Amino acid sequence: MKDRVPRDHRHWLLRMKVGLRLLLAGLALLGGLFLFRYTHRVIQQGDYFAITEIHFEGVKNFDSEAFTRLFRSSFEQNLLTLNLDRVRNLLESEKWVKEATVRRQFPDRLILQIAERQPVAVAAIDEDLYVVDSEGVVLTLFQPRFDYLDRPIVKGLINVALEDAAPGNATRMRTYLQVLSDLADKGRN
């Protein structure tokens, strides 16, 4: 019986050590979760990562001021938590933007690199004159600043408000540009 008491005592000490370790591990886990949530909240609500500057690269015709206003009213202004894909998708939905890249520059700057569509012709669509790119994408109403587009006016492009206008317009523009190229080649010979 003398042997049994110390053995029970050892089991009890062992259980206490295991229990204490589990308790400490649980407290450490809870402390870590609290610290994570607190830090996350401070980062999201703090001003350190607030976007103070939006820098555009590659812009000539794109209305960057209008886009900045739209961005400021539509997106969260925390650089760390901003969804860059959503910003890129919005940019690429703009008529002048062919392709866009969006990057963060910490702590407070958003960089928007834009490849603009290039105006190549004037098209008559629905009794108005429009500037279009090589794919037949309507960019804007014709203005005097596009006088350098001194080529024959494109006819036959479909109003973009109609369904499936893009494939037909792209085909017509390829034909138009090929005819211009062939005429230029014949003029050189």
Side-chain angles (χ1 to χ4, degrees), residues 1 5 8 16 18 29 42 58-61 63 72 74 92 124 126-127 136 147 150 162-163 186:
M1 191 129 175
V5 172
D8 288 342
M16 286 299 286
V18 169
L29 181 63
V42 167
V59 171
K60 182 177 177 186
N61 294 298
D63 189 349
R72 293 275 186 210
S74 302
E92 290 179 349
D126 296 337
E127 301 179 22
D147 281 344
D150 189 21
L162 301 175
E163 287 185 40
K186 287 191 183 208

Side-chain angles (χ1 to χ4, degrees), residues 120-121 151-152 175-185:
V120 298
R151 298 176 169 175
T175 303
Y176 169 82
L177 293 172
Q178 185 61 51
V179 167
L180 288 181
S181 177
D182 291 348
L183 288 173
D185 288 346

